[in-house]
Amino acid sequence: QVQLVESGGGLVQAGESLRLSCTASRRTTSNNGMGWFRQAPGKEREFVAALSWRGGDTFYADAVKGRFAISRDNAKNTVYLQMDSLSPEDTAVYYCAANRYSSASTNSRNYAYWGRGTQVTVSS
C-alpha cells in the first residue's frame, strides 16, 4: 500500500552538498514519523536522522549532527535530507523509512515501510 521512493543521490566531492528526497504514495508524512538510514560498504545499517511530524522533534546521529537536516513538505508527501559538508565517510546507500507511529525513532525496527535506497558517493 505504502511506497517510498528516494532520489537525489549521486557522486560529489568532499565539502559539497546534496539534498535527498523521499516521496510517499500516501499521507504517511503527515501522520507518521519519518527517518533516514544508511548502509556503507561492509558495514551495518545505521541511523541518520528522524522527524516526528506531530511534535516537530528531530533526532540526528552524532556523526551527522550539525551537517545534515531532515525536513518535510506535507503538500508533496515528501521528506528531505539536506546534507552539507559531505565527507568520504558519508558514502553509503541512503534509505528513507516511515514509522507506523507518529513519533520519531532512532530504532530501525520501529519503521514499517522502506524505500529502495539511493547511492551517495563522496570522493576526496
Side-chain angles (χ1 to χ4, degrees):
Q1 182 69 31
V2 176
Q3 295 182 350
L4 303 175
V5 180
E6 304 97 333
S7 63
L11 173 63
V12 297
Q13 299 290 329
E16 295 183 345
S17 298
L18 283 173
R19 189 180 73 165
L20 306 183
S21 299
C22 171
T23 300
S25 62
R26 70 178 192 184
R27 199 181 174 186
T28 55
T29 55
S30 295
N31 298 285
N32 297 275
M34 302 295 296
W36 287 94
F37 296 79
R38 68 186 183 185
Q39 186 167 21
K43 297 183 178 180
E44 300 291 330
R45 180 180 56 190
E46 65 177 351
F47 167 77
V48 176
L51 173 63
S52 174
W53 301 102
R54 292 180 61 85
D57 297 327
T58 57
F59 298 148
Y60 294 97
D62 289 342
V64 307
K65 189 176 182 180
R67 299 188 298 118
F68 290 10
I70 186 171
S71 62
R72 75 181 193 278
D73 185 339
N74 286 341
K76 297 180 179 180
N77 280 86
T78 300
V79 180
Y80 304 98
L81 184 67
Q82 178 67 42
M83 305 185 294
D84 297 329
S85 301
L86 286 164
S87 61
E89 55 263 36
D90 295 314
T91 295
V93 177
Y94 283 72
Y95 298 93
C96 173
N99 193 334
R100 68 170 296 175
Y101 304 107
S102 62
S103 61
S105 176
T106 63
N107 188 344
S108 65
R109 297 193 180 277
N110 292 137
Y111 292 85
Y113 308 102
W114 295 80
R116 297 169 62 88
T118 185
Q119 177 71 48
V120 172
T121 302
V122 185
S123 64
S124 61

